[in-house]
Amino acid sequence: MAGLVLAAALVAASPATAQTDGTTTTTAVPGAPEGMAPGPITAATILPNGKASRPPGAPYAVTRAIQAANRIHKRTYIWGGGHRAFKAKGYDCSGAVSYVLHAAGVLSAPLVSGQLALWGSPGPGSWITVYANKTHTYMVIAGLRYDTSPLGESVNQGRGPRWRYTLRTGSGFAIRHYTGL
């Protein structure tokens, strides 16, 4: 039921503003940029405390990714944060994505956003998809956007690693995944 409420809210949400070209819109299927394969059959939800729930049937790596994202949720945005070591006082976009991928067991060292644009395999994943270009990166895990950028949000949660209520199309980003996820 909560997944249906989230999907309905996303469909009714106003278009998001893209960080790259201003043409990003919300999509009806959580985690599915326009023209891309849909995300997992069951999606995570954003809880009242702003953290994400673990969807039923999620693989262990996805559970670990959600737990890691929840751990650094609401940490301060610090440019370069999370690059010297995975554990940091604050994170930038690629530091946060690297931290979560490391917890999922699919990344051994932090990468900058341009490197994440080449990480893994091309295209969307079933559970985890990374969107990256030379200046920004974010990810969708189990149908929820995890991003340091608040652009396009109607709820002001500030900058830094957060689960976001609005999805982006991925326009202007390389779309990557880890095989099997």
Side-chain angles (χ1 to χ4, degrees):
M1 181 69 174
L4 293 174
V5 172
L6 174 63
L10 291 172
V11 170
S14 61
T17 303
Q19 192 168 19
T20 55
D21 64 6
T23 61
T24 300
T25 59
T26 56
T27 58
V29 179
E34 292 177 0
M36 303 307 289
I41 294 170
T42 57
T45 57
I46 299 176
L47 302 170
N49 65 2
K51 294 183 178 183
S53 67
R54 175 194 170 277
Y60 181 68
V62 174
T63 297
R64 299 269 304 152
I66 292 170
Q67 290 170 336
N70 285 340
R71 250 189 321 276
I72 63 170
H73 171 74
K74 295 215 174 179
R75 288 279 175 97
T76 303
Y77 180 90
I78 298 175
W79 188 83
H83 291 276
R84 294 180 75 182
F86 285 114
K87 195 170 185 178
K89 290 182 180 181
Y91 295 86
D92 68 4
C93 61
S94 54
V97 169
S98 291
Y99 178 87
V100 171
L101 292 175
H102 176 69
V106 298
L107 186 68
S108 59
L111 300 176
V112 297
S113 58
Q115 293 170 314
L116 285 164
L118 303 172
W119 169 85
S121 299
S126 297
W127 289 94
I128 298 174
T129 303
V130 172
Y131 298 83
N133 61 31
K134 65 182 179 178
T135 61
H136 187 63
T137 188
Y138 67 96
M139 62 196 317
V140 172
I141 306 170
L144 294 179
R145 176 177 144 216
Y146 193 71
D147 196 347
T148 58
S149 171
L151 291 179
E153 287 293 285
S154 58
V155 177
N156 183 3
Q157 301 181 70
R159 291 180 48 183
R162 311 279 191 275
W163 294 104
R164 305 293 177 169
Y165 293 95
T166 307
L167 294 175
R168 297 164 69 155
T169 64
S171 176
F173 291 86
I175 302 171
R176 312 293 291 187
H177 74 282
Y178 187 82
T179 302
L181 293 178

